[in-house]
Amino acid sequence: MLRRLNEKERFTPFLLLGPALLLMLLIVAYPLFQALRLSLFDASLLRPDRARFVGLTNYLNVLRDPLFLRSLLNSTIWVVGCVTLQFTIGMLGALLLNREFPGRGLVRGLSLIPWATSGVLVSLMWTWMLDGNYGVINDILVRLGLISQYRPWLALPISLGGVIAANVWQGAPFFAVMLLAAMQSVPQELYEAARIDGAGRFQQFRSVTIPLIMPTIVITTMLRIVWTANYMDLVFVMTGGGPGNASIILPVLSYITAYKKLKVGEATAMAVLQAILLIITLFVYLRLVNRKGEGGLSLYEV
Amino acid sequence: MRKSSVALTVVALVLFLLASTAAAKTRVTYWLWLDDPTDTTVQELVEEFNRLHPDIEVVTETIPLANYYDQLLMAISGGGGPDAARFKDWWLGAFYDADLLEDLSPYIANWPGADDVVPNLWNTGMIPGVDGIFMLPHQYITFYLYYRADWFAEAGLNPPRTFDEFLEAALKLTDPANNRYGFGLRGGAGGQDQWLAFMVAGGARIVDEAGNIVINSPKAVEVNQWYIDLYRKHQVAPPSAPTDAYAQVVGAFQAGNTAMMAHHVGSSVMMTDVFGDNVGVLPIPAADPENPATMGTMSGNVVFSTADVKDAAFKFISWLSEHEAMDKWSKSRQGQLPVLQSVAEQDYYTQNEFFRVSLEGGNYAIVWPPLPGTGYVASYVWQNTMQRALLGEITSQQMLDEIAKALREGN
């Protein structure tokens, strides 16, 4: 029997939520507010007490800066390249690991190693593998006859490609494991039913597997987009954004602006712009996924 | 009952004594980086200082050089940070501009060790056009050239003394088919120091005597072009040169991929361990041998204007620059060149070829001038523009214009 809650009872849920809300405010809202405020100041990291309010000047300067636009373009290549390749390789890995074969448990465990390796370590490994004087990748490519002479991959204008390769290696297992877990939760009866209806392997994959693991696909790619966009370890250690500006991405540019140029207000404006662009990207991505109707996922569910 | 009250009294007494001794001591926080973090020399020195000065307690914090400047910035901007710190000449300009450095000249006037310091090294702690000394000289390095003595002998080449001889040797020793190059040009992180060594040896200067920035003068553009051409035109540097940092340059030299590389005495022990007599050392070749020059850089000590215990802080940093401590530090694995004449005169330095060439360089070494943007140029702009120049995206002139602007404006 339903009855109206009395005053005290109505207040209780808020009381219980209170500590969590307060924490959220402290941990999320306060820094966010501080960042927005700081982006409106001409502040030097050395003397933040001498900061001057400059309104939107930082934003205008950043948007007019060709280096920012270059970083934005590189960031786009970085995120799209990394996430697409990681997803493709992860999906293939998940399909492989989903089959029965001897030693499967061991392979599954080992395949997670790249994901568990720290970013700086991955950077150093790949820096030396891609080294122009005695890197193993050059050695392999020369032996395969694909190149005739060693190439300094990270000193070429396409250095971002080398960093993307390292990140794909590191990030693909994440997709493989997440997608594998989702695949294993697909009821076998559905495949049986599909086979009875005459579906081939590819059709089973397209019409049974994909729709049922769609929520996982959406969530994992979204997470990866956010992580990759903010992930600067590899670029920072492997190329520092170079040679020149060849591999500079937004987080690296805002780091340099804050800690080398000491313009912390301008750096914050960049970070805020990146956050806004990221939110727009995710919004558009979710709209696109929803329109397809596969899985019928909403922002609320995510 | 009685026993416990005695125990209580003893505990109270001990606590009281501890508290009173702690209160009487002046606590000085000192930050530093170590080139070899496993070396305990500095720790021993600090303990010795604390023992000799019962009224002062120096507390150190060691931070890797790669994060040092960032962490110092963060700590100072947060209103905290140490009282005194190990410091590089590159950073003086920006910190002086922000009024964060204490003028040490009144303290130095009363410091008995001052007369022993090599006179021209005081310049490394001074700001052009400003009275005062903001960094106490401590350890420095000058750049010189390592060369493969065995390869030079095989090819019948004399060690190069001039730019022309240098280029000629580099060309002769370059053989890309065997992955062998004449010179390990460092275009990546940290490469600004060897670049500056060649720039000044070529006759270019960052600032003129009046303090004007002349790094984009026609002369500098010409020398810079010569340096860029080592890679672009003559191709005597490995193809990876634009991004090669210390590890790559040393690695390539030790692996037998390069015939010459520029560095300082910090790597001399390692080099002799690997090569024995097959490695030789030379001053940086000069465009005009009558006017040699090289790049020097000072690692000194500063006291921050934000410190509450400036007297005690200076006492500690000046003690580090006195004979005993200087001698010990200089001969440790952290060791660079001592700034004291009394230490540098020892056989230990005069009989060692690497030290000898380095100390000789001290007579004509030129340091990064403490301009507002020096730290920014040294940690970012140089590398960025050099790489673009090496890739052919910008000209020598454009590169130096960008550097001049960054030096002047600090951003």
Side-chain angles (χ1 to χ4, degrees):
Chain A
M1 190 72 189
L2 287 172
R3 63 175 178 85
R4 294 184 74 84
L5 296 170
N6 65 34
E7 279 300 309
K8 203 175 155 192
E9 280 169 326
R10 242 189 288 176
F11 185 63
T12 313
F14 293 101
L15 193 74
L16 296 174
L17 275 174
L21 269 175
L22 200 71
L23 256 159
M24 284 287 282
L25 276 177
L26 270 175
I27 296 173
V28 179
Y30 177 73
L32 194 67
F33 169 76
Q34 276 294 340
L36 287 172
R37 205 182 72 92
L38 191 56
S39 69
L40 303 175
F41 281 79
D42 176 16
S44 155
L45 198 54
L46 272 172
R47 289 311 289 251
D49 51 326
R50 290 183 188 165
R52 228 163 23 91
F53 181 78
V54 290
L56 292 173
T57 313
N58 285 332
Y59 288 94
L60 293 176
N61 286 344
V62 166
L63 288 172
R64 272 197 294 253
D65 183 0
L67 193 52
F68 177 79
L69 302 177
R70 174 85 191 253
S71 309
L72 187 60
L73 177 69
N74 277 348
S75 271
T76 313
I77 297 172
W78 164 247
V79 172
V80 173
C82 287
V83 177
T84 315
L85 289 170
Q86 282 172 4
F87 177 79
T88 312
I89 295 173
M91 177 66 92
L92 291 174
L95 288 171
L96 267 177
L97 292 174
N98 202 22
R99 304 171 69 124
E100 293 287 345
F101 62 87
R104 186 171 72 156
L106 187 72
V107 175
R108 272 187 195 173
L110 289 178
S111 67
L112 263 179
I113 287 177
W115 176 248
T117 310
S118 91
V120 174
L121 200 60
V122 172
S123 310
L124 293 177
M125 273 165 49
W126 279 81
T127 302
W128 289 110
M129 279 162 59
L130 291 165
D131 186 84
N133 290 318
Y134 32 74
V136 67
I137 290 176
N138 272 315
D139 188 54
I140 292 172
L141 292 177
V142 167
R143 280 164 197 266
L144 288 175
L146 291 173
I147 54 172
S148 58
Q149 211 182 337
Y150 279 22
R151 302 267 161 86
W153 298 105
L154 295 179
L156 298 175
I158 52 152
S159 60
L160 192 58
V163 190
I164 290 176
N167 192 15
V168 169
W169 178 81
Q170 189 186 19
F174 169 77
F175 275 111
V177 168
M178 297 301 276
L179 296 177
L180 178 63
M183 280 176 194
Q184 288 183 332
S185 67
V186 177
Q188 287 303 316
E189 305 91 80
L190 294 180
Y191 290 111
E192 281 166 31
R195 275 198 293 276
I196 290 166
D197 287 346
R201 276 199 168 276
F202 179 71
Q203 255 178 324
Q204 285 177 38
F205 175 69
R206 206 179 67 98
S207 314
V208 180
T209 315
I210 290 285
L212 282 163
I213 65 170
M214 201 56 190
T216 306
I217 293 179
V218 174
I219 292 172
T220 49
T221 42
M222 247 181 52
L223 280 175
R224 274 319 276 168
I225 289 173
V226 176
W227 288 342
T228 311
N230 292 325
Y231 189 51
M232 63 177 272
D233 309 24
L234 296 185
V235 173
F236 187 69
V237 179
M238 289 176 72
T239 66
N245 301 318
S247 61
I248 195 156
I249 56 171
L250 284 175
V252 174
L253 181 66
S254 60
Y255 167 82
I256 290 166
T257 310
Y259 288 92
K260 306 297 175 204
K261 207 172 176 184
L262 309 182
K263 293 264 179 192
V264 70
E266 208 179 299
T268 315
M270 284 178 195
V272 169
L273 283 174
Q274 190 195 337
I276 293 171
L277 289 170
L278 204 53
I279 290 168
I280 295 174
T281 311
L282 292 179
F283 187 75
V284 171
Y285 172 71
L286 280 179
R287 288 294 293 267
L288 283 175
V289 173
N290 267 348
R291 194 164 302 161
K292 275 192 182 165
E294 290 173 344
L297 206 75
S298 76
L299 189 56
Y300 175 73
E301 283 170 77
V302 170
Chain B
M1 190 75 183
R2 193 166 181 169
K3 216 173 178 177
S4 69
S5 69
V6 170
L8 211 67
T9 316
V10 170
V11 169
L13 203 67
V14 168
L15 281 177
F16 173 73
L17 280 173
L18 279 176
S20 62
T21 51
K25 279 195 177 189
T26 309
R27 195 182 154 101
V28 174
T29 49
Y30 175 72
W31 281 18
L32 75 164
W33 73 89
L34 294 176
D35 294 325
D36 180 349
T38 61
D39 180 32
T40 56
T41 312
V42 179
Q43 204 184 320
E44 288 159 21
L45 283 172
V46 170
E47 281 163 16
E48 195 182 333
F49 177 85
N50 285 340
R51 202 175 58 244
L52 294 170
H53 301 82
D55 54 330
I56 302 176
E57 191 198 4
V58 173
V59 182
T60 60
E61 193 170 330
T62 309
I63 295 159
L65 183 58
N67 309 332
Y68 192 81
Y69 185 63
D70 291 0
Q71 291 219 20
L72 202 56
L73 279 175
M74 287 303 279
I76 298 278
S77 71
D83 301 309
R86 192 175 178 188
F87 213 73
K88 268 189 194 285
D89 43 14
W90 305 338
W91 309 328
L92 280 177
F95 272 69
Y96 169 78
D97 238 29
D99 295 332
L100 290 167
L101 298 177
E102 185 72 9
D103 176 12
L104 302 177
S105 47
Y107 300 90
I108 292 168
N110 296 318
W111 177 50
D115 294 339
D116 196 7
V117 175
V118 176
N120 67 337
L121 296 180
W122 288 112
N123 296 331
T124 58
M126 291 157 77
I127 313 286
V130 179
D131 273 339
I133 295 170
F134 297 89
M135 180 171 82
L136 189 63
H138 183 234
Q139 295 265 294
Y140 74 109
I141 43 172
T142 60
F143 268 67
Y144 57 45
L145 195 70
Y146 287 114
Y147 68 100
R148 286 291 297 268
D150 48 344
W151 292 6
F152 271 72
E154 262 170 48
L157 286 162
N158 284 323
R161 295 280 166 184
T162 65
F163 269 25
D164 292 340
E165 289 170 15
F166 173 82
L167 181 58
E168 193 198 326
L171 281 167
K172 270 203 181 142
L173 293 169
T174 296
D175 178 9
N178 286 317
N179 202 11
R180 193 189 262 201
Y181 296 89
F183 177 57
L185 190 144
R186 180 164 163 189
Q192 70 280 351
D193 289 348
Q194 67 153 246
W195 168 80
L196 184 58
F198 278 94
M199 288 293 283
V200 294
R205 293 290 179 272
I206 297 184
V207 288
D208 64 12
E209 272 154 29
N212 303 310
I213 293 172
V214 291
I215 193 60
N216 51 350
S217 69
K219 179 72 194 168
V221 171
E222 178 201 320
V223 184
N224 190 43
Q225 186 65 52
W226 178 87
Y227 194 74
I228 294 167
D229 281 345
L230 292 176
Y231 175 77
R232 282 192 66 76
K233 186 172 160 196
H234 305 297
Q235 303 185 350
V236 296
S240 57
T243 50
D244 281 351
Y246 179 66
Q248 285 80 14
V249 169
V250 170
F253 188 71
Q254 295 194 339
N257 296 128
T258 51
M260 294 181 275
M261 66 167 276
H263 198 233
H264 54 76
V265 75
S267 51
S268 64
V269 175
M270 183 180 73
M271 287 296 181
T272 38
D273 282 352
V274 173
F275 292 113
D277 290 341
N278 287 338
V279 63
V281 58
L282 281 174
I284 298 288
D288 169 16
E290 298 298 309
N291 287 308
T294 186
M295 184 269 170
T297 179
M298 180 63 71
S299 144
N301 287 301
V302 296
V303 174
F304 294 105
S305 57
T306 48
D308 301 325
V309 289
K310 298 188 180 94
D311 288 317
F314 181 79
K315 192 166 239 171
F316 174 65
I317 66 166
S318 61
W319 183 82
L320 286 177
S321 278
E322 284 168 18
H323 186 92
E324 310 277 307
M326 175 70 64
D327 192 36
K328 191 166 177 185
W329 185 312
S330 302
K331 286 175 187 164
S332 75
R333 276 180 278 150
Q334 313 293 333
Q336 299 179 349
L337 305 174
V339 299
L340 297 185
Q341 289 156 345
S342 66
V343 178
E345 279 161 11
Q346 299 172 2
D347 285 354
Y348 179 85
Y349 298 101
T350 54
Q351 300 300 311
N352 176 311
E353 191 63 7
F354 300 99
F355 276 122
R356 205 188 54 71
V357 173
S358 298
L359 287 165
E360 183 193 313
N363 298 325
Y364 46 72
I366 288 167
V367 299
W368 283 93
L371 299 164
T374 306
Y376 179 41
V377 169
S379 63
Y380 176 68
V381 178
W382 176 84
Q383 187 182 327
N384 178 272
T385 52
M386 184 80 229
Q387 292 181 339
R388 279 151 65 207
L390 290 174
L391 294 181
E393 290 174 10
I394 53 172
T395 63
S396 171
Q397 178 81 55
Q398 285 168 324
M399 169 183 167
L400 297 179
D401 284 345
E402 274 196 43
I403 290 179
K405 179 176 175 288
L407 284 171
R408 194 176 304 120
E409 294 169 12
N411 59 66

